[in-house]
Amino acid sequence: MTSNDRRPGAHIETEAVAVDLPSVRRLEAVGFRAWPASSVHYDGSWLVRLTAGHASKRLNSVNPLDPSDYRDITIRLDKAARRFAEHRCVLTVRQTPLTPPQMIAHMDEAGWPAFGRSLVLALDLAERDFGDGMDHLPVKDVARFADARLLIGKEDPESKAALIGIINAIKPETGLFLFEDRDIGPTAVSLVVHDNDLAGIMQFAVAETVRRQGVGDALLDASLRWARLRGAKKAWLQVEADNEPAIALYRKAGFTEVYRYVYRAPKV
């Protein structure tokens, strides 16, 4: 679900918790590896990510990574805008606790609206006892997983090739989880990316017809169990701030908030 809240002044609502910048930097880095863009460009410490054929904001955004890197903001944003236009995308900045306050002030003054407000949550897997073995094993068929994800998410089937390309480009170890019902087909999916001692829960989705029936809990448990057995010590995920059912599911499992981020774009 995408937030329609596009008010400026996003610097206030993205600081809802005390933020540990080293943790933010690490989770940002593993997040980029877990969901790789096809085009990556650095302008100083600003990471510009672009991916043709996929509408994901995470794959098409400017990501400032150093609060002290705020020189020539206007010039650099104009340069980034031209690069985005070449890819037929609208310039979008992903504002995290690493974004320079001067850049936030610049966007505020220019009236850039905010949207896609999201939370980054984490869970210490060492505190969970999953036992031995797996009740659900990951599937190997990426195309089958992509079909299920697009169907459950009610997304454009034509984006299948782009989704498969992104998954195949992930370098850390991945686990593709797919729950199916004999009568109604795919019911839930998740993509787990195991990166050293961290595991990212990506593309987590449960079909509307089976929500509030324990399917989400079972899928999350299977995903976390696999990550723990592979050696991960902490799990993390990103969820939009207005997705209350998903946040309730994650908090029930023990996830806590690490930081927040929001997207900003020029008025159109």
Side-chain angles (χ1 to χ4, degrees):
M1 187 183 302
T2 302
S3 172
N4 293 319
D5 184 357
R6 292 174 173 262
R7 295 169 296 170
H11 60 290
I12 297 175
E13 294 188 35
T14 55
E15 297 176 356
V17 297
V19 175
D20 176 56
L21 289 184
S23 295
V24 175
R25 290 190 177 94
R26 188 165 189 225
L27 288 175
E28 286 291 285
V30 297
F32 297 144
R33 291 195 295 270
W35 203 237
S38 60
S39 172
V40 175
H41 170 76
Y42 276 96
D43 181 353
S45 63
W46 297 8
L47 175 59
V48 181
R49 287 161 46 90
L50 286 161
T51 302
H54 202 286
S56 169
K57 298 184 290 297
R58 279 183 290 173
L59 296 177
N60 296 280
S61 57
V62 177
N63 298 264
L65 301 176
D66 183 350
S68 67
D69 183 6
Y70 55 87
R71 60 179 176 79
D72 302 325
I73 291 174
T74 301
I75 295 173
R76 294 163 74 184
L77 285 176
D78 287 343
K79 181 180 178 182
R82 291 193 295 271
R83 185 179 294 272
F84 272 66
E86 291 172 359
H87 285 73
R88 298 181 179 179
C89 295
V90 176
L91 174 64
T92 302
V93 172
R94 184 166 168 271
Q95 179 183 312
T96 74
L98 300 179
T99 304
Q102 294 84 351
M103 186 176 185
I104 296 174
H106 175 88
M107 294 186 289
D108 287 347
E109 184 177 351
W112 287 31
F115 57 99
R117 300 172 188 272
S118 300
L119 314 180
V120 178
L121 309 178
L123 169 69
D124 187 352
L125 292 175
E127 297 179 356
R128 292 282 296 270
D129 181 13
F130 294 103
D132 298 323
M134 288 286 297
D135 295 327
H136 299 277
L137 296 175
V139 300
K140 301 295 184 181
D141 191 335
V142 177
R144 179 180 162 206
F145 175 89
D147 283 334
R149 178 62 180 86
L150 295 175
L151 179 64
I152 292 172
K154 298 181 180 180
E155 299 177 33
D156 186 354
E158 293 186 1
S159 64
K160 177 180 176 179
L163 178 57
I164 291 175
I166 294 167
I167 294 174
N168 286 333
I170 300 173
K171 292 183 178 180
E173 182 182 23
T174 60
L176 302 172
F177 286 88
L178 169 59
F179 283 17
E180 294 177 297
D181 182 276
R182 182 177 302 176
D183 297 322
I184 62 178
T187 57
V189 293
S190 74
L191 164 63
V192 188
V193 182
H194 174 220
D195 192 340
N196 294 310
D197 63 330
L198 297 175
I201 309 297
M202 318 285 294
Q203 297 294 293
F204 193 96
V206 178
E208 289 184 5
T209 54
V210 298
R211 289 176 186 171
R212 298 180 180 83
Q213 298 178 26
V215 175
D217 296 272
L219 176 64
L220 185 58
D221 183 76
S223 302
L224 296 175
R225 181 187 294 266
W226 180 85
R228 183 70 183 91
L229 291 175
R230 303 307 297 174
K233 292 180 170 51
K234 179 175 288 189
W236 63 271
L237 55 83
Q238 301 173 347
V239 57
E240 292 201 355
D242 63 356
N243 191 344
E244 295 180 1
I247 293 174
L249 171 67
Y250 301 140
R251 293 198 184 282
K252 177 183 175 184
F255 280 87
T256 58
E257 183 175 333
V258 182
Y259 64 100
R260 299 183 177 194
Y261 65 85
V262 68
Y263 292 93
R264 310 286 297 271
K267 287 183 177 180
V268 294

